[in-house]
Amino acid sequence: MDGTIAILRANTPDQLRELYTWLSAEPELRGLLRLAEASPPPGALGGAVESVQVLLGAPVAVVVGGVVAWLRYRTSDVRIKVRATESATEVELNAHRLSSLDSAGIKALTEQITLTLAQERQNRE
């Protein structure tokens, strides 16, 4: 996982692919995201997607803002876990909880998560 700032995990591989596609549309994140797959079981053609990795160099605020925006458009109870690389710090975001926040709440949450991940990034450098 060296060279990443965050690992994003969701309930299902399909949700991770959707999130990856959503974040890839951000010009500042193009080329800085990758899908990580689990090792395939014997006899399988490939492994299941287990996370979206955000590579070093990606603007933390853009990543967090993108994740929060993606969650706001989910109609089901989607959970995303954001973990700074090589850290025990993990933040879980829930689409259901986000839907009840107003714009000030969304902004405060985004800033809080951005600060947490940025601090982890600075600690690594």
Side-chain angles (χ1 to χ4, degrees):
M1 305 293 186
D2 193 34
T4 60
I5 60 166
I7 308 297
L8 310 176
R9 298 186 189 278
N11 302 355
T12 69
D14 288 341
Q15 290 170 348
L16 285 171
R17 284 187 196 91
E18 289 174 15
L19 177 59
Y20 174 83
T21 300
W22 178 277
L23 292 174
S24 294
E26 288 288 337
E28 294 173 276
L29 298 180
R30 288 196 186 127
L32 296 175
L33 304 168
R34 68 178 175 213
L35 286 172
E37 294 184 350
S39 298
L45 295 177
V49 174
E50 67 177 8
S51 68
V52 175
Q53 296 179 349
V54 183
L55 303 180
L56 210 55
V60 176
V62 175
V63 174
V64 173
V67 171
V68 170
W70 181 79
L71 281 170
R72 293 277 294 169
Y73 288 101
R74 301 304 100 193
T75 55
S76 61
D77 190 21
V78 178
R79 296 172 192 267
I80 296 290
K81 291 182 181 180
V82 181
R83 182 176 56 83
T85 310
E86 296 180 7
S87 169
T89 302
E90 185 171 87
V91 178
E92 183 173 302
L93 299 169
N94 184 312
H96 179 69
R97 290 185 195 153
L98 286 176
S99 64
S100 63
L101 291 178
D102 61 7
S103 60
I106 292 291
K107 182 179 178 185
L109 176 65
T110 301
E111 289 173 355
Q112 179 185 10
I113 296 167
T114 299
L115 180 62
T116 299
L117 292 177
Q119 286 175 342
E120 289 292 338
R121 183 178 181 177
Q122 288 174 348
N123 291 341
R124 286 189 63 214
E125 294 175 351

